[in-house]
Amino acid sequence: MRRLSLSNRLALLFAACTAVVSLFAGVLFSRASEAHFVELDQQLLDGKLIGLRRALHDLQSSESEVKLQDELSRQADLSLRITGSDGQRWYDSSIRLPKELPQTPGLSTLSSNGTDYRVLHAPLFPDKPDSPQLTLLLDITHHQHFLQRMQHLIWLTVGLSALATALLGAWAARSGLRPLRRMSAVASGVSAHSLNARLPEENMPPELAEMAHNFNAMLGRLDDSFQRLSAFSADIAHELRTPLSNLLTHTQVTLTRPRPIEDYREALHSNLEELQWMAQLVNDMLYLAKADHGLLMPKREPLELAEEVDVLLEFFAPLAEDAQVKLSRDGSAQMEGDRSMLRRALSNLLDNALRFTPANGEVRVRIVDQPKGLSMTAENSGGGIDEALLPRLFDRFYRADPARQEGSSEHAGLGLAITQSIIRAHGGVIRCESENGWTRFVIELPKEN
């Protein structure tokens, strides 16, 4: 079966609600009208009962029958039956009265031969136990016909109201859901080549404004991810093209003519360096892929960060001495983390700092212990980095140096991306700041995860 559209569902819901409310109101009005008629009949019959009791106060009097006829003649739709205390019928004011009448004192309703009666049964002399009984019958057929017509009108009103509400509800729902159709139209036009479409948030109703905002944000994220993926694919080809070309060219040149064994050995060593770099590049890409899928699971072991930093500074000391760069560390803190992963992240930062620090410059590592976490800063003096480039430093294959070399056998532009993945795997964040001739990478880590 075909599913109902949202507009049709809302229209049917409006119609059902209107029908229920109309029916409920109609039933209440019908019951109230019926109770009102009963109250009027009660008052009328009570007044007639008092007059009949006065007229029949003395049954032996010759004037009683005259008074009785006079009292009954004032109400054309009123009938009377008088019975003895033994149930014997004494008097009927009309020959059309039903044979059997209610004997229970009080007011009741009776239908007989197509006529509806309101019946009041009461003793003629309330203070006498063997008093004759009076039964007053009021013809209420016209009342019942009015109530029936009113009930038919209620049902007709309910049906017409439901139909009108369904039609108006369908129109209102279709008009109200027009922004959703616009969203659907925008979504249907989204493709890899058209991710720049956006919904006009200012024209959206408040209920859909947040959805439109989130939808536009989703398109923005998709556009950014697609652009990064496209750039990533191009960068992979860009990085691998030159070493592969070098390998092919070097191998072809080597094989053009017979050469001494030492030449072949030298060619193989040269090719090996290129292959090792390509293998390292592939390993780094696999490492980042694992990080993207949340597969990096750092071990938890107690670490003294000052000792770990000192080990790395000792490792980079010969390079710093050759570059005439001073290395220093300040502060200490303890945490739980993966020693090898954190050493790799810090090693990438120190390597970058040494490469971009001029002679007689300085590279400093600061560790600040805080109550809920720790902060570690790796900073170096130098020319600084343009503020517009800072957000892209952690992109893969991105180099801030415009004079990047294609397919260089080192520094492929993955170091900072790997560092960021390691810090995130430990529940921390990393950012870069550059001002006043200093470039610093700030790492904030929790002590416990």
Side-chain angles (χ1 to χ4, degrees):
M1 294 179 62
R2 184 180 179 183
R3 294 183 179 179
L4 289 175
S5 66
L6 189 58
S7 298
N8 292 336
R9 291 183 185 183
L10 290 175
L12 291 178
L13 183 61
F14 291 155
C17 293
T18 302
V20 170
V21 172
S22 300
L23 181 61
F24 183 71
V27 170
L28 287 181
F29 182 74
S30 178
R31 294 290 178 84
S33 300
E34 185 176 358
H36 178 68
F37 284 132
V38 171
E39 183 179 358
L40 291 178
D41 295 340
Q42 177 79 53
Q43 294 175 356
L44 176 63
L45 291 174
D46 287 342
K48 291 298 180 181
L49 179 61
I50 295 174
L52 290 172
R53 281 175 174 170
R54 290 175 181 173
L56 298 174
H57 184 267
D58 187 2
L59 292 177
Q60 303 300 326
S61 173
S62 58
E63 297 179 356
S64 296
E65 184 174 356
V66 177
K67 292 180 180 180
L68 176 62
Q69 294 297 332
D70 181 62
E71 191 70 28
L72 292 175
S73 63
R74 298 177 183 177
Q75 190 75 30
D77 53 358
L78 183 66
S79 302
L80 173 65
R81 171 174 289 179
I82 303 176
T83 58
S85 57
D86 56 357
Q88 186 68 30
R89 188 183 307 172
W90 287 4
Y91 174 79
D92 277 348
S93 63
S94 174
I95 60 175
R96 297 179 298 177
L97 293 180
K99 293 182 179 180
E100 299 295 334
L101 296 177
Q103 300 299 316
T104 304
L107 192 67
S108 60
T109 303
L110 173 68
S111 295
S112 177
N113 298 325
T115 304
D116 297 318
Y117 298 98
R118 198 83 70 197
V119 181
L120 178 63
H121 186 77
L124 177 59
F125 305 113
D127 53 346
K128 295 182 179 180
D130 56 348
S131 168
Q133 301 294 315
L134 299 180
T135 304
L136 283 75
L137 296 91
L138 181 63
D139 188 350
I140 59 170
T141 303
H142 60 289
H143 291 173
Q144 299 299 95
H145 288 171
F146 170 78
L147 292 175
Q148 290 176 0
R149 289 194 301 271
M150 187 174 65
Q151 290 176 354
H152 293 159
L153 182 60
I154 290 173
W155 284 109
L156 180 61
T157 302
V158 169
L160 293 177
S161 299
L163 179 60
T165 306
L167 296 176
L168 293 175
W171 173 81
R174 188 171 182 82
S175 300
L177 295 177
R178 189 175 294 114
L180 287 179
R181 290 196 295 275
R182 287 203 299 268
M183 293 179 68
S184 177
V186 172
S188 63
V190 172
S191 66
H193 304 288
S194 60
L195 289 173
N196 55 351
R198 296 295 184 270
L199 289 174
E201 298 180 26
E202 62 278 1
N203 296 329
M204 289 291 175
E207 294 81 2
L208 296 178
E210 184 177 359
M211 182 185 297
H213 176 75
N214 293 334
F215 184 78
N216 289 338
M218 178 194 68
L219 289 178
R221 291 192 299 270
L222 288 176
D223 189 19
D224 182 66
S225 299
F226 184 78
Q227 295 297 332
R228 288 175 180 269
L229 182 60
S230 299
F232 184 54
S233 301
D235 285 334
I236 291 176
H238 179 83
E239 295 294 334
L240 294 179
R241 179 180 59 185
T242 299
L244 285 174
S245 178
N246 291 339
L247 285 172
L248 288 171
T249 303
H250 196 193
T251 303
Q252 289 171 350
V253 171
T254 303
L255 295 176
T256 53
R257 60 183 176 83
R259 298 177 183 274
I261 189 66
E262 292 300 326
D263 291 346
Y264 288 116
R265 188 185 301 275
E266 182 180 352
L268 289 176
H269 276 296
S270 178
N271 289 350
L272 179 61
E273 291 179 359
E274 295 290 346
L275 290 172
Q276 286 176 339
W277 177 83
M278 293 171 63
Q280 183 61 42
L281 177 63
V282 172
N283 290 334
D284 290 344
M285 290 165 55
L286 291 175
Y287 193 88
L288 290 172
K290 290 176 61 177
D292 289 342
H293 291 83
L295 300 179
L296 288 185
M297 303 299 294
K299 295 183 293 184
R300 299 299 172 187
E301 52 185 323
L303 300 176
E304 178 59 57
L305 286 182
E307 295 179 1
E308 301 301 325
V309 172
D310 289 342
V311 170
L312 292 174
L313 292 180
E314 183 178 356
F315 175 79
F316 284 102
L319 294 177
E321 185 178 353
D322 291 342
Q324 300 180 5
V325 174
K326 180 183 176 182
L327 298 179
S328 64
R329 186 265 307 165
D330 182 34
S332 63
Q334 295 180 345
M335 65 167 293
E336 291 186 355
D338 191 301
R339 175 177 281 105
S340 62
M341 292 175 66
L342 288 175
R343 281 189 178 183
R344 184 175 184 179
L346 293 175
S347 177
N348 289 337
L349 294 180
L350 291 174
D351 180 60
N352 280 344
L354 284 173
R355 286 192 295 114
F356 293 103
T357 303
N360 299 319
E362 185 178 0
V363 174
R364 298 184 300 204
V365 178
R366 299 179 183 273
I367 303 173
V368 180
D369 195 2
Q370 299 172 343
K372 295 184 179 180
L374 59 93
S375 174
M376 184 163 50
T377 303
E379 57 185 359
N380 66 282
S381 59
I385 302 175
D386 188 355
E387 186 177 356
L389 302 179
L390 294 179
R392 297 198 58 193
L393 288 180
F394 297 98
D395 291 351
R396 300 169 189 182
F397 297 112
Y398 180 76
R399 296 186 181 96
D401 183 6
R404 57 179 278 179
Q405 298 177 355
E406 296 186 3
S408 174
S409 60
E410 58 180 354
H411 311 307
L414 295 178
L416 290 180
I418 292 175
T419 299
Q420 184 183 55
S421 299
I422 292 174
I423 299 303
R424 286 179 175 176
H426 282 78
V429 294
I430 182 173
R431 67 181 184 275
C432 181
E433 303 171 353
S434 184
E435 57 184 0
N436 300 326
W438 285 86
T439 299
R440 63 182 60 87
F441 288 86
V442 182
I443 299 175
E444 295 179 355
L445 288 167
K447 289 185 177 181
E448 297 181 0
N449 298 100

